[in-house]
Amino acid sequence: GENVEQHPSTLSVQEGDSAVIKCTYSDSASNYFPWYKQELGKGPQLIIDIRSNVGEKKDQRIAVTLNKTAKHFSLHITETQPEDSAVYFCAAIYNNAGNMLTFGGGTRLMVKP
Amino acid sequence: GAVVSQHPSWVICKSGTSVKIECRSLDFQATTMFWYRQFPKQSLMLMATSNEGSKATYEQGVEKDKFLINHASLTLSTLTVTSAHPEDSSFYICSARLVSTDTQYFGPGTRLTVL
């Protein structure tokens, strides 16, 4: 089955700096890679996703890159703000395999004002 | 759009009682919903896949007689924790799959505390 590894487990940045979270996956058949933000005591919220037919996607301060050959994808947050502080999860899925997401272990991002 | 709700948001119960958690897709129909549990500072662990009109598929190690799942309509799935014990205390989260984009949207979670 799919295995997703996420690094780092914790990340502390100064407000205004950029933050990068990286994930690797094992199943080359995976073709959809969402990123979720989870605030304390809440459910995960989809913030951006990328499909295997593109290499990069951007939405304002958030971007995701995908390297299918190396089987890794990354989340980039620019101009970080204190409200970006949360736990971020990457996930991978092969859409024909019962749609079960495999999650990374999570990254706790702390943005210091 | 693509809003998923859960009820209740938190529940405290005595050991041995059963607790039902509802998961609703508010503005879309979901043939497939998923149930996860999450322990503090850990990732989400898939418990089962709930398919409308058929039996749920449970992950290895999850007792189907203890965690009863019903997906009776395209907008509602329920998880019943039967004879709950303190070790069942956790954060339970559901998600619903939006077919048009194959995207999963999560509910806000239900915190269960079993005394």
Side-chain angles (χ1 to χ4, degrees):
Chain A
E2 176 65 276
N3 181 49
V4 178
E5 296 196 357
Q6 184 172 346
H7 299 281
S9 56
T10 60
L11 178 60
S12 181
V13 300
Q14 207 67 38
E15 181 178 2
D17 289 349
S18 295
V20 180
I21 302 171
K22 298 181 179 181
C23 289
T24 60
Y25 62 98
S26 61
D27 189 350
S28 57
S30 289
N31 55 8
Y32 175 62
F33 308 91
W35 284 89
Y36 291 90
K37 174 184 179 183
Q38 186 178 27
E39 297 178 341
L40 190 62
K42 298 184 179 180
Q45 176 187 7
L46 179 69
I47 56 172
I48 196 167
D49 56 14
I50 191 168
R51 300 185 189 273
S52 59
N53 57 345
V54 297
E56 184 175 358
K57 184 177 178 180
K58 191 174 182 180
D59 182 4
Q60 300 181 352
R61 297 186 297 109
I62 296 173
V64 57
T65 58
L66 171 64
N67 184 325
K68 287 175 58 181
T69 303
K71 290 190 284 188
H72 66 69
F73 56 113
S74 301
L75 177 71
H76 304 253
I77 305 175
T78 58
E79 301 173 26
T80 54
Q81 302 166 2
E83 50 266 37
D84 293 330
S85 297
V87 178
Y88 291 81
F89 291 99
C90 63
I93 188 173
Y94 172 49
N95 274 343
N96 290 330
N99 302 102
M100 292 185 294
L101 282 170
T102 300
F103 285 90
T107 296
R108 183 171 300 277
L109 174 64
M110 294 168 283
V111 180
K112 299 177 183 177
Chain B
V3 178
V4 178
S5 70
Q6 274 184 247
H7 178 81
S9 55
W10 59 272
V11 57
I12 301 174
C13 69
K14 292 182 178 180
S15 184
T17 60
S18 294
V19 175
K20 180 186 284 188
I21 303 170
E22 294 185 349
C23 177
R24 294 181 186 272
S25 54
L26 297 185
D27 50 2
F28 66 101
Q29 293 182 331
T31 54
T32 305
M33 292 184 174
F34 303 87
W35 287 96
Y36 297 83
R37 65 188 296 181
Q38 185 179 37
F39 292 106
K41 298 186 179 181
Q42 293 188 19
S43 190
L44 290 83
M45 290 176 49
L46 179 66
M47 299 175 66
T49 302
S50 169
N51 296 298
E52 188 267 336
S54 64
K55 291 183 179 180
T57 303
Y58 290 81
E59 293 301 298
Q60 191 173 6
V62 178
E63 300 175 55
K64 58 183 177 182
D65 293 331
K66 180 169 184 62
F67 299 99
L68 301 179
I69 292 173
N70 186 293
H71 193 157
S73 79
L74 289 171
T75 59
L76 172 65
S77 176
T78 61
L79 169 68
T80 301
V81 184
T82 61
S83 186
H85 291 284
E87 57 266 30
D88 297 323
S89 298
S90 188
F91 193 50
Y92 291 86
I93 311 172
C94 71
S95 71
R97 174 175 160 259
L98 179 61
V99 173
S100 60
T101 59
D102 245 345
T103 303
Q104 283 189 35
Y105 293 92
F106 284 82
T110 297
R111 182 158 303 282
L112 170 64
T113 301
V114 185
L115 302 177

